[in-house]
Amino acid sequence: MANMPSKVLSAAIVGLDAKPVEVEIDVSHGLRSFSIVGLPDKAVEESKERIEAAIKSSKLLSPHQRTFRILVNLAPADLKKEGSLYDLPIALAFLLASKQTTFNPDKKVFLGELALDGKLRPIKGALSVAIMARDLGIEEVILPLQNAKEAALINNVKIIGVSSLEQALSHLENRTVVAPTIAEIPTDQRLDHQVDISWVKGQEYAKRALEITAAGGHNLFFFGPPGGGKSLMAKALPSILPPLTFEESLEVTKIYSVAGLLSHGQTLVNSRPFRSPHPVSSDVALIGGGNPPRPGEITLAHRGVLFMDEFPEFHRDVLESLRQPIEDGKITVSRAKHTFTFPSRFMLIGASNPCPCGYYNSAEKPCICSNAQISMYKRKLSGPLMDRMDIFIEVPAVKYEKLTSETADNQSSQMRNNIQKARELQKKRFAGIPILTNSEMNIPEIKKYCTYGTDSEVLLKKYVDSGKLSARGYHRILKVARTIADLAQSENIKHEHIAEALMYRLKD
């Protein structure tokens, strides 16, 4: 006579979120078989071989040692199950169904990959599963020890980190007690980006633009001949950005956990991401997608910097795919059965030469490009895309005197201090609404917080009516002017703030 089916709870990662998955297993005597149903992928299908070896190594009766007919159902059946995180729940459900153990699986979530010797290996998306458990009122998450500190960042859920199937059983059967993992929140920002703004010699005009970009979260476009420091300044931007708040760190950590990009032993991502995709990157690599959909570079740059060097060398369709996420701060990927939304609130830094050889209009070196080559090079940067950039900066070649000059020792710290003060003003201004920086303002917030005087109105009217400034450009001017005013610790936007914002915007 067949045993009653047993059931334990696990999870599936869908986009960036976790969804509950019930692991049901029926064990009966008959012709030996081990079947897994419920849309499993290849990694889940192969789990039965790992599970059999792990159970045998744990000195228990594995499925192949008896004439067991085993049927595993992963419900809901229409949700694709991927990865190796179902090894532990399937093994525990089998041991329950075959009456080799007894424990109460209620209000517990299980996940983990089994090695052949019964040890547990880490999995992706542990933070997402902990968030799901908290939201569903689940009391305990049992998962590999390597993932425990990451999942413990979420309050009101017991995170039990175990190193093996045997230890998990011992804890569940109350033979030993595994204490819940306590979160360890790092206080020091990880210095993943060692480039400092003080390394940049000269280019004071461009450094000022970087300061405004960092303070308000704006988009910036550098153009100029090779060797002027465009890439160096972009890489130095993280060195002047304020540290992530705990809420921002959780957002970024969740993304990197699902993508499997957390460093060994890393609990929390507490430095702002800096992503620099190669120009040959596809649109899927940049914006996300694939089957199953995975976050792309714009999502991996969430709350940080997306640096696109050699901007016109990217495929045109790749560049055009940036238009919607720049505006909305998120990207929606639609598939036949599901729609996924990934966050993408990043600062876009583009860098370009004026022509393929890089010396168009240069006084030092003649340009060798034809008019057709220059026209084709510039044509990749469409008007709608460039209209979404806030600041345009020409980066000229650096003279010897500037290159060998001494930089002020406190330049970086002073810039960071100014940016931090400006960000604090924005935090107070937008308290209670889901906006962190001036660049995220929509039209209602612009009308409320970006008022200006009559003299500024005359100036803006002139540029809008002449066609030099689009409606989108007008609103972006006001957001940049608001940031310039914040850096000056000014409550109101003054004429000089509008004039400076216009100076950065109106470039050929």
Side-chain angles (χ1 to χ4, degrees):
M1 184 175 176
N3 296 322
M4 288 294 293
S6 64
K7 183 191 301 183
V8 301
L9 190 64
S10 189
I13 304 298
V14 182
L16 296 180
D17 300 317
K19 304 292 184 185
V21 169
E22 289 185 348
V23 178
E24 302 174 308
I25 190 163
D26 179 75
V27 176
S28 58
H29 293 283
L31 188 63
R32 187 165 60 204
S33 66
F34 195 148
S35 302
I36 300 177
V37 298
L39 281 184
D41 74 347
K42 189 65 175 174
V44 181
E45 282 281 0
E46 291 176 347
S47 67
K48 51 193 175 188
E49 309 298 337
R50 295 190 297 271
I51 289 165
E52 286 185 347
I55 291 175
K56 183 179 178 182
S57 297
S58 302
K59 300 180 176 58
L60 295 162
L61 192 63
S62 69
H64 79 278
Q65 290 177 286
R66 290 280 297 275
T67 53
F68 282 141
R69 182 180 179 276
I70 301 166
L71 176 62
V72 179
N73 179 41
L74 305 177
D78 61 345
L79 180 66
K80 183 79 172 174
K81 317 303 186 306
E82 299 166 332
S84 54
L85 60 87
Y86 301 104
D87 291 8
L88 179 63
I90 292 174
L92 291 173
F94 166 75
L95 294 173
L96 275 175
S98 59
K99 300 191 181 302
Q100 297 185 67
T101 183
T102 55
F103 63 86
N104 184 7
D106 293 343
K107 295 200 172 184
K108 295 180 178 67
V109 172
F110 304 90
L111 52 152
E113 176 186 338
L114 284 170
L116 299 185
D117 61 357
K119 296 274 195 312
L120 280 172
R121 293 194 172 113
I123 48 91
K124 299 176 184 177
L127 185 61
S128 298
V129 176
I131 293 171
M132 178 204 78
R134 179 197 62 192
D135 295 343
L136 294 178
I138 293 166
E139 297 173 355
E140 202 169 291
V141 178
I142 297 176
L143 76 177
L145 186 61
Q146 297 96 316
N147 296 113
K149 289 183 179 179
E150 172 195 337
L153 294 169
I154 305 304
N155 296 325
N156 303 321
V157 181
K158 285 183 182 178
I159 304 299
I160 306 298
V162 291
S163 58
S164 65
L165 172 62
E166 192 174 355
Q167 187 182 15
L169 277 174
S170 181
H171 169 75
L172 291 166
E173 294 170 353
N174 296 319
R175 289 185 279 116
T176 60
V177 176
V178 179
T181 302
I182 305 298
E184 294 180 6
I185 301 174
T187 55
D188 296 330
Q189 188 174 9
R190 290 171 61 96
L191 299 176
D192 295 329
H193 313 293
Q194 300 293 333
V195 179
D196 192 271
I197 196 70
S198 63
W199 295 8
V200 181
K201 302 297 183 181
Q203 309 294 13
E204 301 305 325
Y205 182 62
K207 287 182 184 177
R208 168 65 175 169
L210 272 182
E211 184 179 31
I212 296 167
T213 298
H218 302 290
N219 299 324
L220 172 64
F221 188 78
F222 286 129
F223 61 96
K230 301 185 294 294
S231 299
L232 185 64
M233 283 188 285
K235 292 174 183 176
L237 180 56
S239 72
I240 58 174
L241 287 171
L244 290 166
T245 64
F246 181 69
E247 291 74 19
E248 288 177 310
S249 289
L250 278 182
E251 287 182 63
V252 178
T253 304
K254 182 179 175 181
I255 294 166
Y256 277 67
S257 174
V258 169
L261 294 177
L262 287 180
S263 304
H264 179 70
Q266 186 177 9
T267 301
L268 186 71
V269 177
N270 63 340
S271 61
R272 293 193 179 270
F274 181 88
R275 305 294 298 183
S276 182
H278 194 273
V280 301
S281 300
S282 67
D283 53 349
V284 171
L286 196 68
I287 67 170
N291 187 23
R294 290 285 183 261
E297 291 291 337
I298 62 173
T299 300
L300 296 174
H302 182 62
R303 298 299 178 194
V305 179
L306 178 68
F307 175 45
M308 299 181 70
D309 203 1
E310 305 298 340
F311 206 53
E313 299 296 340
F314 285 82
H315 294 294
R316 186 184 173 94
D317 57 343
V318 173
L319 293 176
E320 294 304 307
S321 67
L322 290 171
R323 285 159 57 174
Q324 183 252 335
I326 288 174
E327 288 289 309
D328 299 342
K330 60 185 178 182
I331 179 69
T332 300
V333 180
S334 296
R335 291 292 177 267
K337 293 184 178 180
H338 300 285
T339 298
F340 304 89
T341 299
F342 299 120
S344 59
R345 186 68 68 182
F346 56 88
M347 285 174 279
L348 175 60
I349 310 297
S352 169
N353 296 321
C355 66
C357 80
Y359 296 102
Y360 179 66
N361 280 344
S362 172
E364 287 78 22
K365 196 170 181 178
C367 175
I368 61 172
C369 303
S370 67
N371 289 335
Q373 286 175 315
I374 296 171
S375 177
M376 188 179 298
Y377 188 74
K378 291 184 175 181
R379 200 179 298 138
K380 284 191 177 181
L381 306 180
S382 69
L385 175 62
M386 299 311 287
D387 205 36
R388 286 164 167 80
M389 306 301 287
D390 300 306
I391 297 172
F392 295 84
I393 295 295
E394 183 174 4
V395 182
V398 185
K399 300 298 183 183
Y400 178 79
E401 291 76 14
K402 289 284 187 182
L403 198 59
T404 56
S405 64
E406 291 295 327
T407 307
D409 292 337
N410 64 344
Q411 185 182 50
S412 299
S413 59
Q414 182 61 48
M415 199 177 285
R416 278 193 294 268
N417 188 44
N418 293 341
I419 290 165
Q420 186 64 46
K421 288 180 179 178
R423 287 281 183 118
E424 287 170 2
L425 283 176
Q426 293 166 65
K427 185 178 179 181
K428 291 177 183 177
R429 178 181 302 130
F430 303 127
I433 56 178
I435 292 178
L436 296 180
T437 60
N438 290 330
S439 64
E440 300 174 32
M441 285 191 289
N442 294 312
I443 291 177
E445 290 79 33
I446 292 172
K447 288 182 176 179
K448 184 176 181 180
Y449 300 116
C450 298
T451 56
Y452 48 84
T454 307
D455 51 352
S456 299
E457 184 178 2
V458 173
L459 184 63
L460 288 168
K461 184 178 186 299
K462 171 187 171 183
Y463 283 105
V464 172
D465 288 348
S466 67
K468 292 181 179 179
L469 206 58
S470 67
R472 181 185 289 111
Y474 164 75
H475 289 125
R476 288 186 177 273
I477 286 286
L478 293 182
K479 289 193 264 190
V480 172
R482 179 67 268 172
T483 300
I484 295 170
D486 289 343
L487 283 167
Q489 298 292 297
S490 172
E491 185 176 346
N492 301 313
I493 297 177
K494 298 178 182 178
H495 181 69
E496 58 263 31
H497 304 147
I498 294 285
E500 185 178 356
L502 276 166
M503 179 178 68
Y504 296 131
R505 180 80 186 182
L506 302 172
K507 293 289 180 183
D508 293 332

